[in-house]
Amino acid sequence: MSDDDRMPDKLRERLGSSDGRHLFVPSHFDFSDPRGILDFIHHTPLAQIVCRHRGEIRITATPLLHETALDDGGHIFIGHLARRNPQSRAIREGADGTAVIQGPDAYISPRWNVENPGLPTWSYVDVQLRGRFEPLEDEADRRWVLDRTIAHMERHADRPWHLDDAPPELVATLLRHIVAFRFRVHDMQGVQRLNQNRKPVDKQGIVAGLLSCGDPGSTRIAALMAAAMTDQPGDRD
């Protein structure tokens, strides 16, 4: 018998079924709208890219930028790694991989629930991308990936920094020591665990409790909850 089989009916209803194909996504925490996922990645580009290469799991943190949508529903992202990183060999060989992008997160205390105390839990936003890496070997392509990445990260600056601002010999050295890639994604899944299964009065208590913590994760989760409550008011218990 599985844990789900032993779970009380009322608790199973509260937790919801899983809609995830690979990522565990309880139905009321589903975050599958492609536009929402792309907007999330646009503002949270740092990904943990994961792939298996010659029997070993390799994981590297690197920003991913969306390049284009495909007619078949897939998406292409671009990124880069240090050439001396062992994972770059998997990239150059066109390995399959997963990118995990973690958004804000926060602990949720039962003290903050007004009507139904419940148990402690954790709120968070998480996205996973699955696809295949394609190396970009040409130097012009490697520079293009760096230019795109820098422009994205400098986009709010009054006087953005450009790769042309660096000494040419330093840029030439950098380009020799990176591996750029396209990540051809065929599956995007996300979860937004924002207490959607709580009654409005409990959500309000949780938002107040999160704001009292003062740390960036709690503050961001509170803002996301407040926005969701404004967009979709009502009782989802």
Side-chain angles (χ1 to χ4, degrees), residues 178-205:
I178 68 166
V179 171
F181 60 83
R182 282 190 170 96
F183 186 35
R184 188 176 294 268
V185 171
H186 58 73
D187 184 52
M188 300 194 305
Q189 293 177 266
V191 56
Q192 285 193 109
R193 191 181 180 94
L194 300 175
N195 304 283
Q196 295 94 322
N197 55 327
R198 291 288 179 180
K199 292 185 175 181
V201 65
D202 284 335
K203 293 179 186 178
Q204 292 165 6

Side-chain angles (χ1 to χ4, degrees), residues 50 94-99 129-133 183-187:
V50 185
D96 291 327
T98 299
L129 313 176
R130 288 174 176 78
R132 174 164 291 184
F133 295 101
F183 186 35
R184 188 176 294 268
V185 171
H186 58 73
D187 184 52

Side-chain angles (χ1 to χ4, degrees), residues 10-68:
K10 189 170 183 178
L11 180 57
R12 185 184 297 112
E13 180 180 352
R14 174 180 290 279
L15 296 179
S17 60
S18 174
D19 291 341
R21 296 176 296 280
H22 303 285
L23 176 66
F24 176 65
V25 186
S27 55
H28 42 245
F29 301 144
D30 180 54
F31 180 34
S32 59
D33 173 38
R35 290 173 299 179
I37 289 177
L38 292 177
D39 182 68
F40 169 73
I41 298 171
H42 178 81
H43 292 95
T44 316
L46 187 66
Q48 298 284 344
I49 61 170
V50 185
C51 54
R52 181 184 294 275
H53 182 62
R54 300 180 183 179
E56 293 189 4
I57 299 295
R58 298 288 186 179
I59 306 173
T60 300
T62 191
L64 290 180
L65 270 64
H66 185 251
E67 180 184 2
T68 189

Side-chain angles (χ1 to χ4, degrees), residues 150-217:
I150 292 167
H152 181 80
M153 302 313 300
E154 294 274 343
R155 66 191 185 278
H156 297 306
D158 293 333
R159 299 178 61 186
W161 189 88
H162 301 281
L163 200 56
D164 290 337
D165 296 331
E169 62 275 13
L170 181 59
V171 174
T173 299
L174 172 63
L175 291 174
R176 288 195 299 270
H177 288 86
I178 68 166
V179 171
F181 60 83
R182 282 190 170 96
F183 186 35
R184 188 176 294 268
V185 171
H186 58 73
D187 184 52
M188 300 194 305
Q189 293 177 266
V191 56
Q192 285 193 109
R193 191 181 180 94
L194 300 175
N195 304 283
Q196 295 94 322
N197 55 327
R198 291 288 179 180
K199 292 185 175 181
V201 65
D202 284 335
K203 293 179 186 178
Q204 292 165 6
I206 291 170
V207 168
L210 287 168
L211 291 174
S212 71
C213 293
D215 63 277

Side-chain angles (χ1 to χ4, degrees), residues 103-117:
D105 67 278
Y107 169 75
I108 306 299
S109 172
R111 295 179 290 109
W112 302 334
N113 293 311
V114 176
E115 186 169 316
N116 187 349

Side-chain angles (χ1 to χ4, degrees), residues 47 49 60-65 67 76-82 87-88 90-92 99 132-137 141-142 144-145 178-184:
I49 61 170
T60 300
T62 191
L64 290 180
L65 270 64
E67 180 184 2
I76 294 179
F77 295 80
I78 57 172
H80 69 283
L81 294 178
Q87 192 170 1
S88 70
I91 302 297
R92 296 199 300 272
R132 174 164 291 184
F133 295 101
E134 300 174 357
L136 295 171
E137 300 288 1
D141 287 336
R142 298 200 301 275
W144 171 73
V145 168
I178 68 166
V179 171
F181 60 83
R182 282 190 170 96
F183 186 35
R184 188 176 294 268

